[in-house]
mmCIF file of all heavy atoms in Angstrom:
data_model
loop_
_atom_site.group_PDB
_atom_site.id
_atom_site.type_symbol
_atom_site.label_atom_id
_atom_site.label_comp_id
_atom_site.label_asym_id
_atom_site.label_seq_id
_atom_site.Cartn_x
_atom_site.Cartn_y
_atom_site.Cartn_z
ATOM 1 N N HIS Y 884 35.044 20.024 -30.014
ATOM 2 C CA HIS Y 884 33.820 19.473 -30.511
ATOM 3 C C HIS Y 884 32.757 20.606 -30.617
ATOM 4 O O HIS Y 884 32.652 21.405 -29.698
ATOM 5 C CB HIS Y 884 33.205 18.334 -29.691
ATOM 6 C CG HIS Y 884 32.215 17.554 -30.372
ATOM 7 N ND1 HIS Y 884 30.889 17.995 -30.521
ATOM 8 C CD2 HIS Y 884 32.160 16.313 -30.956
ATOM 9 C CE1 HIS Y 884 30.116 17.044 -31.149
ATOM 10 N NE2 HIS Y 884 30.967 16.034 -31.359
ATOM 11 N N ALA Y 885 32.085 20.652 -31.738
ATOM 12 C CA ALA Y 885 31.035 21.799 -31.968
ATOM 13 C C ALA Y 885 30.034 21.788 -30.846
ATOM 14 O O ALA Y 885 29.473 22.860 -30.568
ATOM 15 C CB ALA Y 885 30.460 21.621 -33.348
ATOM 16 N N ALA Y 886 29.542 20.686 -30.296
ATOM 17 C CA ALA Y 886 28.534 20.593 -29.303
ATOM 18 C C ALA Y 886 28.887 21.318 -28.037
ATOM 19 O O ALA Y 886 28.062 21.559 -27.182
ATOM 20 C CB ALA Y 886 28.160 19.160 -29.036
ATOM 21 N N ARG Y 887 30.167 21.548 -27.906
ATOM 22 C CA ARG Y 887 30.609 22.231 -26.605
ATOM 23 C C ARG Y 887 30.035 23.670 -26.595
ATOM 24 O O ARG Y 887 29.853 24.256 -25.495
ATOM 25 C CB ARG Y 887 32.111 22.217 -26.517
ATOM 26 C CG ARG Y 887 32.583 20.806 -26.085
ATOM 27 C CD ARG Y 887 33.963 20.991 -25.416
ATOM 28 N NE ARG Y 887 34.456 19.672 -24.998
ATOM 29 C CZ ARG Y 887 34.475 19.256 -23.745
ATOM 30 N NH1 ARG Y 887 34.068 20.033 -22.720
ATOM 31 N NH2 ARG Y 887 34.858 18.066 -23.440
ATOM 32 N N THR Y 888 29.660 24.273 -27.716
ATOM 33 C CA THR Y 888 29.190 25.549 -27.733
ATOM 34 C C THR Y 888 27.690 25.560 -27.208
ATOM 35 O O THR Y 888 27.102 26.520 -26.840
ATOM 36 C CB THR Y 888 29.056 26.169 -29.207
ATOM 37 O OG1 THR Y 888 28.257 25.289 -29.981
ATOM 38 C CG2 THR Y 888 30.492 26.281 -29.703
ATOM 39 N N LEU Y 889 27.108 24.375 -27.095
ATOM 40 C CA LEU Y 889 25.784 24.125 -26.518
ATOM 41 C C LEU Y 889 25.852 23.715 -24.997
ATOM 42 O O LEU Y 889 24.884 23.161 -24.541
ATOM 43 C CB LEU Y 889 24.977 23.118 -27.337
ATOM 44 C CG LEU Y 889 24.756 23.404 -28.762
ATOM 45 C CD1 LEU Y 889 24.208 22.213 -29.504
ATOM 46 C CD2 LEU Y 889 23.948 24.627 -28.949
ATOM 47 N N ASN Y 890 27.034 23.794 -24.366
ATOM 48 C CA ASN Y 890 27.281 23.386 -23.022
ATOM 49 C C ASN Y 890 27.227 21.869 -22.918
ATOM 50 O O ASN Y 890 26.985 21.397 -21.762
ATOM 51 C CB ASN Y 890 26.331 24.118 -22.018
ATOM 52 C CG ASN Y 890 26.602 25.536 -21.947
ATOM 53 O OD1 ASN Y 890 27.670 25.972 -22.062
ATOM 54 N ND2 ASN Y 890 25.542 26.266 -21.872
ATOM 55 N N CYS Y 891 27.578 21.113 -23.939
ATOM 56 C CA CYS Y 891 27.487 19.730 -23.893
ATOM 57 C C CYS Y 891 29.044 19.199 -23.702
ATOM 58 O O CYS Y 891 29.887 19.756 -24.377
ATOM 59 C CB CYS Y 891 27.077 19.043 -25.207
ATOM 60 S SG CYS Y 891 25.287 19.355 -25.425
ATOM 61 N N THR Y 892 29.313 18.440 -22.659
ATOM 62 C CA THR Y 892 30.689 17.953 -22.382
ATOM 63 C C THR Y 892 30.826 16.522 -22.649
ATOM 64 O O THR Y 892 31.856 15.984 -22.700
ATOM 65 C CB THR Y 892 31.014 18.243 -20.956
ATOM 66 O OG1 THR Y 892 30.173 17.626 -19.965
ATOM 67 C CG2 THR Y 892 31.188 19.755 -20.740
ATOM 68 N N THR Y 893 29.673 15.748 -22.756
ATOM 69 C CA THR Y 893 29.672 14.246 -23.023
ATOM 70 C C THR Y 893 28.709 13.912 -24.168
ATOM 71 O O THR Y 893 27.859 14.780 -24.519
ATOM 72 C CB THR Y 893 29.219 13.528 -21.763
ATOM 73 O OG1 THR Y 893 27.855 13.786 -21.592
ATOM 74 C CG2 THR Y 893 30.038 13.827 -20.568
ATOM 75 N N ILE Y 894 28.910 12.694 -24.720
ATOM 76 C CA ILE Y 894 27.994 12.161 -25.695
ATOM 77 C C ILE Y 894 26.586 12.179 -25.125
ATOM 78 O O ILE Y 894 25.575 12.496 -25.876
ATOM 79 C CB ILE Y 894 28.507 10.975 -26.178
ATOM 80 C CG1 ILE Y 894 29.809 11.110 -26.944
ATOM 81 C CG2 ILE Y 894 27.498 10.428 -27.241
ATOM 82 C CD1 ILE Y 894 30.440 9.741 -27.460
ATOM 83 N N ALA Y 895 26.401 11.762 -23.966
ATOM 84 C CA ALA Y 895 25.125 11.772 -23.321
ATOM 85 C C ALA Y 895 24.445 13.120 -23.252
ATOM 86 O O ALA Y 895 23.278 13.222 -23.551
ATOM 87 C CB ALA Y 895 25.173 11.098 -21.839
ATOM 88 N N ASP Y 896 25.238 14.200 -23.016
ATOM 89 C CA ASP Y 896 24.757 15.507 -23.090
ATOM 90 C C ASP Y 896 24.168 15.814 -24.498
ATOM 91 O O ASP Y 896 23.046 16.451 -24.614
ATOM 92 C CB ASP Y 896 25.764 16.550 -22.706
ATOM 93 C CG ASP Y 896 26.219 16.501 -21.303
ATOM 94 O OD1 ASP Y 896 25.472 15.944 -20.441
ATOM 95 O OD2 ASP Y 896 27.299 17.001 -21.019
ATOM 96 N N VAL Y 897 24.887 15.415 -25.467
ATOM 97 C CA VAL Y 897 24.502 15.645 -26.866
ATOM 98 C C VAL Y 897 23.133 14.976 -27.137
ATOM 99 O O VAL Y 897 22.241 15.463 -27.726
ATOM 100 C CB VAL Y 897 25.524 15.187 -27.917
ATOM 101 C CG1 VAL Y 897 25.039 15.305 -29.316
ATOM 102 C CG2 VAL Y 897 26.859 15.947 -27.746
ATOM 103 N N CYS Y 898 23.040 13.753 -26.681
ATOM 104 C CA CYS Y 898 21.782 12.924 -26.812
ATOM 105 C C CYS Y 898 20.639 13.662 -26.225
ATOM 106 O O CYS Y 898 19.569 13.814 -26.835
ATOM 107 C CB CYS Y 898 21.966 11.624 -26.238
ATOM 108 S SG CYS Y 898 20.534 10.538 -26.472
ATOM 109 N N ARG Y 899 20.710 14.087 -25.017
ATOM 110 C CA ARG Y 899 19.646 14.822 -24.267
ATOM 111 C C ARG Y 899 19.342 16.146 -25.034
ATOM 112 O O ARG Y 899 18.106 16.438 -25.176
ATOM 113 C CB ARG Y 899 20.118 15.193 -22.868
ATOM 114 C CG ARG Y 899 19.901 14.008 -21.878
ATOM 115 C CD ARG Y 899 20.084 14.490 -20.428
ATOM 116 N NE ARG Y 899 21.532 14.767 -20.148
ATOM 117 C CZ ARG Y 899 22.429 13.808 -19.861
ATOM 118 N NH1 ARG Y 899 22.186 12.529 -19.837
ATOM 119 N NH2 ARG Y 899 23.768 14.228 -19.615
ATOM 120 N N GLU Y 900 20.319 16.892 -25.469
ATOM 121 C CA GLU Y 900 20.054 18.116 -26.175
ATOM 122 C C GLU Y 900 19.295 17.909 -27.550
ATOM 123 O O GLU Y 900 18.334 18.568 -27.875
ATOM 124 C CB GLU Y 900 21.333 18.884 -26.453
ATOM 125 C CG GLU Y 900 21.239 20.199 -27.077
ATOM 126 C CD GLU Y 900 20.509 21.203 -26.199
ATOM 127 O OE1 GLU Y 900 20.569 21.130 -24.902
ATOM 128 O OE2 GLU Y 900 19.790 22.179 -26.775
ATOM 129 N N ARG Y 901 19.672 16.808 -28.230
ATOM 130 C CA ARG Y 901 19.033 16.481 -29.495
ATOM 131 C C ARG Y 901 17.529 16.158 -29.218
ATOM 132 O O ARG Y 901 16.634 16.598 -29.937
ATOM 133 C CB ARG Y 901 19.712 15.384 -30.145
ATOM 134 C CG ARG Y 901 19.097 14.922 -31.440
ATOM 135 C CD ARG Y 901 19.837 13.840 -32.111
ATOM 136 N NE ARG Y 901 19.323 13.698 -33.530
ATOM 137 C CZ ARG Y 901 19.978 13.118 -34.467
ATOM 138 N NH1 ARG Y 901 21.174 12.602 -34.174
ATOM 139 N NH2 ARG Y 901 19.532 12.835 -35.559
ATOM 140 N N LEU Y 902 17.295 15.306 -28.197
ATOM 141 C CA LEU Y 902 15.948 14.926 -27.913
ATOM 142 C C LEU Y 902 15.064 16.149 -27.466
ATOM 143 O O LEU Y 902 13.949 16.345 -27.819
ATOM 144 C CB LEU Y 902 15.846 13.843 -26.846
ATOM 145 C CG LEU Y 902 16.541 12.574 -27.301
ATOM 146 C CD1 LEU Y 902 16.540 11.545 -26.111
ATOM 147 C CD2 LEU Y 902 15.773 11.998 -28.462
ATOM 148 N N LYS Y 903 15.680 17.086 -26.621
ATOM 149 C CA LYS Y 903 14.910 18.249 -26.230
ATOM 150 C C LYS Y 903 14.502 19.071 -27.469
ATOM 151 O O LYS Y 903 13.315 19.500 -27.564
ATOM 152 C CB LYS Y 903 15.849 19.151 -25.332
ATOM 153 C CG LYS Y 903 15.927 18.755 -23.983
ATOM 154 C CD LYS Y 903 16.757 19.866 -23.235
ATOM 155 C CE LYS Y 903 17.732 19.281 -22.284
ATOM 156 N NZ LYS Y 903 18.611 20.248 -21.595
ATOM 157 N N ARG Y 904 15.428 19.219 -28.326
ATOM 158 C CA ARG Y 904 15.136 19.994 -29.633
ATOM 159 C C ARG Y 904 14.046 19.277 -30.451
ATOM 160 O O ARG Y 904 13.224 19.894 -31.089
ATOM 161 C CB ARG Y 904 16.394 20.290 -30.395
ATOM 162 C CG ARG Y 904 17.226 21.278 -29.696
ATOM 163 C CD ARG Y 904 18.628 21.310 -30.303
ATOM 164 N NE ARG Y 904 19.527 22.190 -29.517
ATOM 165 C CZ ARG Y 904 19.911 23.377 -29.955
ATOM 166 N NH1 ARG Y 904 19.682 23.822 -31.109
ATOM 167 N NH2 ARG Y 904 20.717 24.116 -29.157
ATOM 168 N N ALA Y 905 14.213 17.958 -30.576
ATOM 169 C CA ALA Y 905 13.274 17.272 -31.490
ATOM 170 C C ALA Y 905 11.834 17.294 -30.765
ATOM 171 O O ALA Y 905 10.825 17.414 -31.647
ATOM 172 C CB ALA Y 905 13.711 15.744 -31.507
ATOM 173 N N PHE Y 906 11.653 17.169 -29.536
ATOM 174 C CA PHE Y 906 10.387 17.313 -28.997
ATOM 175 C C PHE Y 906 9.808 18.665 -29.062
ATOM 176 O O PHE Y 906 8.643 18.882 -29.252
ATOM 177 C CB PHE Y 906 10.395 16.795 -27.465
ATOM 178 C CG PHE Y 906 10.325 15.315 -27.309
ATOM 179 C CD1 PHE Y 906 11.405 14.550 -27.307
ATOM 180 C CD2 PHE Y 906 9.080 14.644 -27.266
ATOM 181 C CE1 PHE Y 906 11.308 13.147 -27.240
ATOM 182 C CE2 PHE Y 906 8.901 13.354 -27.161
ATOM 183 C CZ PHE Y 906 10.046 12.482 -27.095
ATOM 184 N N GLU Y 907 10.671 19.669 -28.842
ATOM 185 C CA GLU Y 907 10.221 21.138 -29.122
ATOM 186 C C GLU Y 907 9.656 21.290 -30.562
ATOM 187 O O GLU Y 907 8.674 21.932 -30.786
ATOM 188 C CB GLU Y 907 11.275 22.064 -28.849
ATOM 189 C CG GLU Y 907 11.569 22.214 -27.330
ATOM 190 C CD GLU Y 907 12.864 23.088 -27.064
ATOM 191 O OE1 GLU Y 907 13.541 23.560 -28.005
ATOM 192 O OE2 GLU Y 907 13.215 23.084 -25.867
ATOM 193 N N ARG Y 908 10.354 20.808 -31.463
ATOM 194 C CA ARG Y 908 9.999 20.958 -32.952
ATOM 195 C C ARG Y 908 8.662 20.230 -33.200
ATOM 196 O O ARG Y 908 7.915 20.709 -33.946
ATOM 197 C CB ARG Y 908 11.043 20.283 -33.915
ATOM 198 C CG ARG Y 908 12.157 21.286 -34.169
ATOM 199 C CD ARG Y 908 12.995 20.817 -35.380
ATOM 200 N NE ARG Y 908 13.374 19.309 -35.264
ATOM 201 C CZ ARG Y 908 14.495 18.924 -34.648
ATOM 202 N NH1 ARG Y 908 15.340 19.732 -34.041
ATOM 203 N NH2 ARG Y 908 14.841 17.610 -34.582
ATOM 204 N N SER Y 909 8.532 19.102 -32.533
ATOM 205 C CA SER Y 909 7.256 18.302 -32.856
ATOM 206 C C SER Y 909 6.059 18.855 -32.063
ATOM 207 O O SER Y 909 4.964 18.512 -32.348
ATOM 208 C CB SER Y 909 7.392 16.886 -32.487
ATOM 209 O OG SER Y 909 7.497 16.658 -31.071
ATOM 210 N N LYS Y 910 6.348 19.778 -31.166
ATOM 211 C CA LYS Y 910 5.297 20.335 -30.284
ATOM 212 C C LYS Y 910 4.550 19.280 -29.553
ATOM 213 O O LYS Y 910 3.271 19.337 -29.395
ATOM 214 C CB LYS Y 910 4.382 21.276 -31.048
ATOM 215 C CG LYS Y 910 5.231 22.443 -31.531
ATOM 216 C CD LYS Y 910 4.219 23.457 -32.314
ATOM 217 C CE LYS Y 910 4.916 24.709 -32.719
ATOM 218 N NZ LYS Y 910 6.087 24.658 -33.461
ATOM 219 N N SER Y 911 5.105 18.178 -29.376
ATOM 220 C CA SER Y 911 4.544 16.977 -28.750
ATOM 221 C C SER Y 911 4.145 17.266 -27.212
ATOM 222 O O SER Y 911 4.800 18.098 -26.574
ATOM 223 C CB SER Y 911 5.483 15.746 -28.794
ATOM 224 O OG SER Y 911 4.912 14.751 -28.084
ATOM 225 N N ARG Y 912 3.096 16.771 -26.851
ATOM 226 C CA ARG Y 912 2.639 16.928 -25.341
ATOM 227 C C ARG Y 912 3.512 15.996 -24.513
ATOM 228 O O ARG Y 912 3.439 16.023 -23.287
ATOM 229 C CB ARG Y 912 1.145 16.591 -25.198
ATOM 230 C CG ARG Y 912 0.319 17.664 -25.866
ATOM 231 C CD ARG Y 912 -1.116 17.379 -25.466
ATOM 232 N NE ARG Y 912 -1.952 17.842 -26.621
ATOM 233 C CZ ARG Y 912 -3.237 17.682 -26.627
ATOM 234 N NH1 ARG Y 912 -3.831 16.980 -25.632
ATOM 235 N NH2 ARG Y 912 -3.906 18.107 -27.601
ATOM 236 N N THR Y 913 4.154 15.023 -25.161
ATOM 237 C CA THR Y 913 4.898 14.042 -24.323
ATOM 238 C C THR Y 913 6.340 14.577 -24.278
ATOM 239 O O THR Y 913 6.775 15.666 -24.837
ATOM 240 C CB THR Y 913 4.964 12.683 -25.012
ATOM 241 O OG1 THR Y 913 5.516 12.812 -26.400
ATOM 242 C CG2 THR Y 913 3.589 12.100 -25.131
ATOM 243 N N GLY Y 914 7.160 13.886 -23.552
ATOM 244 C CA GLY Y 914 8.596 14.233 -23.359
ATOM 245 C C GLY Y 914 9.329 13.096 -23.051
ATOM 246 O O GLY Y 914 8.989 11.939 -23.396
ATOM 247 N N PHE Y 915 10.434 13.349 -22.407
ATOM 248 C CA PHE Y 915 11.408 12.170 -21.978
ATOM 249 C C PHE Y 915 11.964 12.469 -20.611
ATOM 250 O O PHE Y 915 11.944 13.648 -20.194
ATOM 251 C CB PHE Y 915 12.407 11.961 -23.073
ATOM 252 C CG PHE Y 915 13.421 13.085 -23.104
ATOM 253 C CD1 PHE Y 915 14.699 12.930 -22.468
ATOM 254 C CD2 PHE Y 915 13.223 14.170 -23.895
ATOM 255 C CE1 PHE Y 915 15.659 14.001 -22.493
ATOM 256 C CE2 PHE Y 915 14.187 15.169 -24.046
ATOM 257 C CZ PHE Y 915 15.318 15.038 -23.276
ATOM 258 N N LYS Y 916 12.318 11.433 -20.069
ATOM 259 C CA LYS Y 916 13.079 11.498 -18.697
ATOM 260 C C LYS Y 916 14.464 11.131 -18.973
ATOM 261 O O LYS Y 916 14.693 10.247 -19.728
ATOM 262 C CB LYS Y 916 12.442 10.610 -17.649
ATOM 263 C CG LYS Y 916 10.920 11.007 -17.273
ATOM 264 C CD LYS Y 916 10.536 10.064 -16.228
ATOM 265 C CE LYS Y 916 9.044 10.439 -15.962
ATOM 266 N NZ LYS Y 916 8.420 9.532 -14.997
ATOM 267 N N SER Y 917 15.316 11.817 -18.269
ATOM 268 C CA SER Y 917 16.784 11.373 -18.346
ATOM 269 C C SER Y 917 17.290 11.142 -16.912
ATOM 270 O O SER Y 917 17.108 11.829 -16.019
ATOM 271 C CB SER Y 917 17.496 12.637 -18.991
ATOM 272 O OG SER Y 917 18.957 12.417 -18.954
ATOM 273 N N PHE Y 918 18.071 10.026 -16.809
ATOM 274 C CA PHE Y 918 18.619 9.693 -15.559
ATOM 275 C C PHE Y 918 20.158 9.583 -15.719
ATOM 276 O O PHE Y 918 20.641 9.139 -16.766
ATOM 277 C CB PHE Y 918 18.110 8.233 -15.189
ATOM 278 C CG PHE Y 918 16.710 8.182 -15.007
ATOM 279 C CD1 PHE Y 918 15.793 7.796 -16.055
ATOM 280 C CD2 PHE Y 918 16.084 8.531 -13.805
ATOM 281 C CE1 PHE Y 918 14.328 7.793 -15.891
ATOM 282 C CE2 PHE Y 918 14.704 8.559 -13.589
ATOM 283 C CZ PHE Y 918 13.892 8.161 -14.621
ATOM 284 N N ILE Y 919 20.828 10.016 -14.644
ATOM 285 C CA ILE Y 919 22.252 9.984 -14.720
ATOM 286 C C ILE Y 919 22.690 9.061 -13.586
ATOM 287 O O ILE Y 919 22.185 9.277 -12.377
ATOM 288 C CB ILE Y 919 22.887 11.368 -14.544
ATOM 289 C CG1 ILE Y 919 22.482 12.230 -15.688
ATOM 290 C CG2 ILE Y 919 24.453 11.286 -14.460
ATOM 291 C CD1 ILE Y 919 22.827 13.745 -15.578
ATOM 292 N N LEU Y 920 23.448 8.012 -13.921
ATOM 293 C CA LEU Y 920 23.833 7.055 -12.870
ATOM 294 C C LEU Y 920 25.014 7.580 -12.240
ATOM 295 O O LEU Y 920 25.910 8.151 -12.759
ATOM 296 C CB LEU Y 920 24.143 5.716 -13.475
ATOM 297 C CG LEU Y 920 23.010 5.041 -14.159
ATOM 298 C CD1 LEU Y 920 23.405 3.593 -14.748
ATOM 299 C CD2 LEU Y 920 21.800 4.850 -13.159
ATOM 300 N N ALA Y 921 25.081 7.405 -10.861
ATOM 301 C CA ALA Y 921 26.206 7.859 -9.988
ATOM 302 C C ALA Y 921 26.813 6.716 -9.414
ATOM 303 O O ALA Y 921 26.191 5.639 -9.254
ATOM 304 C CB ALA Y 921 25.758 8.763 -8.884
ATOM 305 N N PRO Y 922 28.190 6.748 -9.202
ATOM 306 C CA PRO Y 922 28.821 5.640 -8.611
ATOM 307 C C PRO Y 922 28.285 5.307 -7.199
ATOM 308 O O PRO Y 922 27.917 6.237 -6.535
ATOM 309 C CB PRO Y 922 30.280 6.101 -8.539
ATOM 310 C CG PRO Y 922 30.323 7.491 -8.783
ATOM 311 C CD PRO Y 922 29.040 7.880 -9.446
ATOM 312 N N GLU Y 923 28.303 4.053 -6.864
ATOM 313 C CA GLU Y 923 27.843 3.727 -5.494
ATOM 314 C C GLU Y 923 28.877 4.219 -4.541
ATOM 315 O O GLU Y 923 30.031 4.210 -4.617
ATOM 316 C CB GLU Y 923 27.850 2.173 -5.478
ATOM 317 C CG GLU Y 923 27.096 1.627 -4.145
ATOM 318 C CD GLU Y 923 27.048 0.171 -4.220
ATOM 319 O OE1 GLU Y 923 27.084 -0.430 -5.298
ATOM 320 O OE2 GLU Y 923 26.983 -0.365 -3.049
#
């Protein structure tokens, strides 16, 4: 997958990377939080 060149190994990684880039382009003062659930 082409996204592996961006150190993405999962679809969730691709989502986070896309949002980082979108917020950088918009120069928004806001951002987003990302949570990774772990097994109990």
